[in-house]
Structure formats: structure tokens, C-alpha cells
Amino acid sequence: MSSESGPSMPAPKPVWVVESIGGVPTIDPKPEISLTEDGRVVGTTGINRIMGSYEAENETVRISGGGMTRMAGSDEAMDQERRFLRALEGWNSFFVRGDRLELGPPDTGLVCVASSRQQPIE
């Protein structure tokens, strides 16, 4: 968003904390994702920071152009990271009800279920 006086900061949006992926509860540290009004994606896989952009159309969203830090974690955390990143690939359906978000390609069973919090990802 911009105005005559220059760009303005997007309004704070919830951070979505991923509670489960494909019906499997997430382990700590849990993945988090935030979609800003200016089309950016920021978050964490629980191990690595992720960033990129997104576009939304009707009830679908596509995350692309992502970058990610390259740190290692436990085998369980690395498996969770792989499942989370797979769930974000391509066009995904999404559904928001209150403080709950379901996001992912439902045909693969990798739907992410997340709850919101208002604090920014640090």
C-alpha cells in the first residue's frame, strides 16, 4: 500500500501457529506463518525462518519465491519441517473461522491447522 507521502506499514496481522499437519500434532518449536497485506509471507518452520510472497484468488492461495535459512534440528523437527513445506507448495485452499486457519492441498492429506496470535514473528 502506498500514499502520496510514501509507503505505509501494513496493519498487524495474526501469526498463525501450526497446531497439526495432516492430522499429526506439531512438536515444539511449532511452525508459524504470517501473510501481510502487501503480499509478503514470513514465518518459521520451527527450525528455519522462511520468507516469500503470496497471491490469493477466491479461496485459494499460492506461496512462492521463498527463501529459507539452513539450520539443522532433530530428526523429528526436520521431518516436521519437510511436511510443513510440502503442505505450502502450489495452490492451496484455505478456510478461516475465528482464530483457526486450515491451509493446504486437501487431496494429499497435508492440511495445516493453525491458531492465531497477534504478536509478530521475531
Side-chain angles (χ1 to χ4, degrees):
M1 287 171 51
S2 63
S3 65
E4 290 183 343
S5 63
S8 63
M9 293 296 292
K13 290 294 181 188
V15 173
W16 297 99
V17 179
V18 180
E19 303 295 339
S20 67
I21 304 168
V24 177
T26 53
I27 59 172
D28 288 327
K30 295 179 182 293
E32 299 180 355
I33 192 167
S34 183
L35 307 170
T36 68
E37 287 183 2
D38 62 353
R40 292 184 314 116
V41 174
V42 294
T44 175
T45 65
I47 302 168
N48 288 292
R49 303 212 26 95
I50 58 174
M51 70 267 345
S53 60
Y54 76 93
E55 58 183 301
E57 185 176 297
N58 298 321
E59 294 165 359
T60 60
V61 63
R62 180 173 64 176
I63 297 172
S64 60
M68 184 171 79
T69 59
R70 296 289 180 189
M71 298 190 312
S74 68
D75 289 343
E76 295 84 6
M78 296 302 291
D79 178 60
Q80 176 173 277
E81 177 179 87
R82 281 187 290 277
R83 290 183 300 114
F84 178 57
L85 293 173
R86 261 196 339 242
L88 297 181
E89 291 176 352
W91 282 98
N92 290 297
S93 61
F94 68 91
F95 178 76
V96 177
R97 179 180 299 157
D99 69 347
R100 180 182 164 102
L101 167 71
E102 293 182 17
L103 171 73
D107 57 329
T108 65
L110 291 173
V111 174
C112 295
V113 177
S115 59
S116 69
R117 65 179 174 81
Q118 290 294 325
Q119 301 167 356
I121 296 172
E122 298 183 19

